[in-house]
Amino acid sequence: MKSLLQTLKGATISPPPIWLMRQAGRHLREYRDLRLHANTFLDFCYSPDMAVEATLQPVRRYGVDAAILFSDILVVPDALGQNVSFISGMGPRLEPLDGRTAIDRLDTTNLHAHLAPIYESIRRLRTQLSETTTLIGFAGAPWTVATYMIEGGSSRDHQRTRAYAYESPDDFQVLIDLLVEVTAAYLIRQADEGAEVVQIFDSWAGVLPPVQFDRWVIKPFQKIVATVKTAHPHLPIIGFPRGAGLGYATFSAKTGVDAVSLDSTVPLTWAAKNIQQDTVIQGNLDNLVLRAGGKQLENAVQEILSVLSARPFIFNLGHGILPDTPVDNVRQLIDMVRGR
Ligand code: CP3
């Protein structure tokens, strides 16, 4: 039986299931070797042979309880015709959207055709995973994806996007609504093809004041969750509004997600009391303590388990694994969580 699915259905399992955000990728030697075979990072994502292999690498190496599809949140703007490229060492680059005309030029007609290789990867993965490993699909949340589309890449404080949302809220709403629609359609197709759980990453949810958080994070999540659940009523959905602080409680109560992924700043006892009564919790080990290892790692893991494992809980990091994390630390973490 799949422990991740049981947990998401409300069972308290001991030891809790464990998987790690960004578990595939550069911290694995076998990933770096495989990556040499693709020209660009997006070519890699759109190659089912390579994406399937990268998805399976951490499952083989660590025996984690879930496989997360190897892809990226920025395939969606790429599929809408806003060309995305990844420059090594510099992160993603997009031609920034500079207003309503650019937003209106985004084109949804080729969405599923463009993303077809990803659906093919999911179909193949379903035949290759064991009886105990759950396949997780994912997408970026509208707010976070919009920040990349408007900034043209990563940015320190997302000032352009936050300013645009205040100065042209109606135009920004058009972009968010478009992203709500395509993200829901994308997640539904992932589930049609065999994703058993989906996670929605809102990595930059934490930069918004409460009124804006409600409009650009909570409302879009509500719509996506409702639409996806209409097509797939039993599909568990995990939300990750990273940095939401007290907003985690509102997010959990209002969006309809089955589980929330906590970042490492959320106090455990607060989360146990205010969130875990009604919503499954995933998280929230600091990726830097995993990289550091040793006694501090042991203490942090025991603290999380002692506060959160009495109710439905999925062990994970508070954000993605860092590329220079030693594989021995990851193995040690998994052994600790499994009580070995
Ligand atoms: O979790 C997994 O193992 C599955 C794959 C996955 C990737 N990106 C692969 C990737 C997932 C789930 C993501 C999500 C993602 N992508 C997020 C949300 C989670 C988070 O970290 O906040 C965001 C914001 C992105 C956008 C993105 N992709 C950035 C900013 C970058 C550059 C910085 C970086 O980490 O390299 C990427 C590139 C990226 N996505 C890589 C990988 C393995 C590195 C590409 C390479 O191999 O050179």
Side-chain angles (χ1 to χ4, degrees):
M1 187 51 191
K2 304 194 178 198
S3 58
L4 187 84
L5 285 178
Q6 285 179 281
T7 301
L8 286 164
K9 294 297 172 199
T12 303
I13 296 188
S14 179
I18 176 169
W19 68 280
L20 304 174
M21 289 191 267
R22 306 285 290 266
Q23 63 190 13
R26 287 164 300 180
H27 90 287
L28 292 176
R29 182 178 24 80
E30 57 269 34
Y31 170 81
R32 296 191 300 268
D33 291 343
L34 185 65
R35 177 69 182 77
L36 300 174
H37 296 281
N39 195 6
T40 71
F41 176 65
L42 281 182
D43 290 344
F44 191 118
C45 295
Y46 296 139
S47 153
D49 286 344
M50 285 189 269
V52 166
E53 175 58 20
T55 304
L56 296 174
Q57 284 174 343
V59 179
R60 278 193 214 114
R61 190 185 264 270
Y62 301 124
V64 277
D65 295 298
I68 181 160
L69 168 70
F70 190 89
S71 177
D72 198 84
I73 64 167
L74 298 179
V75 297
V76 166
D78 195 57
L80 295 174
Q82 189 186 13
N83 286 343
V84 178
S85 56
F86 286 83
I87 300 157
S88 134
M90 307 233 292
R93 278 285 178 282
L94 301 78
E95 182 64 41
L97 297 180
D98 59 358
R100 181 60 183 267
T101 316
I103 293 172
D104 288 339
R105 233 183 277 129
L106 295 167
D107 180 5
T108 60
T109 48
N110 291 323
L111 184 80
H112 293 307
H114 190 95
L115 299 170
I118 290 171
Y119 306 140
E120 171 65 18
S121 298
I122 294 174
R123 281 194 292 277
R124 292 192 197 174
L125 281 163
R126 272 311 292 278
T127 67
Q128 294 191 36
L129 288 168
S130 78
E131 286 295 287
T132 57
T133 316
T134 302
L135 181 59
I136 304 177
F138 73 92
W143 164 254
T144 287
V145 173
T147 67
Y148 287 96
M149 296 174 83
I150 289 183
E151 311 285 335
S154 303
S155 75
R156 196 166 50 84
D157 58 8
H158 314 96
Q159 217 184 93
R160 261 176 78 110
T161 316
R162 289 187 291 133
Y164 191 62
Y166 281 121
E167 288 159 17
S168 307
D170 296 344
D171 293 340
F172 190 62
Q173 186 76 56
V174 171
L175 174 60
I176 292 292
D177 288 346
L178 177 83
L179 290 171
V180 164
E181 183 195 318
V182 299
T183 304
Y186 180 39
L187 291 171
I188 288 169
R189 276 298 293 272
Q190 291 187 39
D192 292 344
E193 305 293 358
E196 300 170 280
V197 172
V198 293
Q199 174 155 327
I200 305 171
F201 289 85
D202 218 344
S203 305
W204 304 115
V207 303
L208 294 170
V211 172
Q212 302 284 300
F213 181 79
D214 185 69
R215 183 162 180 187
W216 308 123
V217 173
I218 304 261
K219 293 253 159 36
F221 259 91
Q222 286 172 328
K223 290 182 201 156
I224 293 171
V225 171
T227 307
V228 173
K229 295 262 182 188
T230 303
H232 291 280
H234 304 296
L235 177 76
I237 302 178
I238 306 171
F240 180 38
R242 189 170 73 94
L246 296 177
Y248 262 108
T250 331
F251 180 91
S252 306
K254 285 191 170 174
T255 55
V257 296
D258 300 272
V260 287
S261 201
L262 304 182
D263 67 74
S264 309
T265 68
V266 180
L268 301 173
T269 47
W270 179 86
K273 182 161 168 275
N274 293 288
I275 296 175
Q276 207 176 17
Q277 310 291 333
D278 304 302
T279 309
V280 177
I281 284 184
Q282 171 173 282
N284 72 343
L285 185 76
D286 193 345
N287 54 9
L288 283 162
V289 81
L290 175 61
R291 194 178 71 178
K295 191 68 194 161
Q296 295 184 94
L297 172 60
E298 258 173 58
N299 292 343
V301 171
Q302 290 316 330
E303 178 70 13
I304 291 172
L305 289 174
S306 75
V307 181
L308 294 176
S309 68
R311 283 181 176 270
F313 174 60
I314 302 160
F315 202 102
N316 207 314
L317 300 175
H319 197 194
I321 195 166
L322 297 163
D324 46 0
T325 303
V327 292
D328 285 347
N329 292 13
V330 179
R331 194 160 291 126
Q332 191 196 344
L333 163 66
I334 293 171
D335 286 349
M336 275 189 283
V337 171
R338 292 188 175 155
R340 289 199 291 255

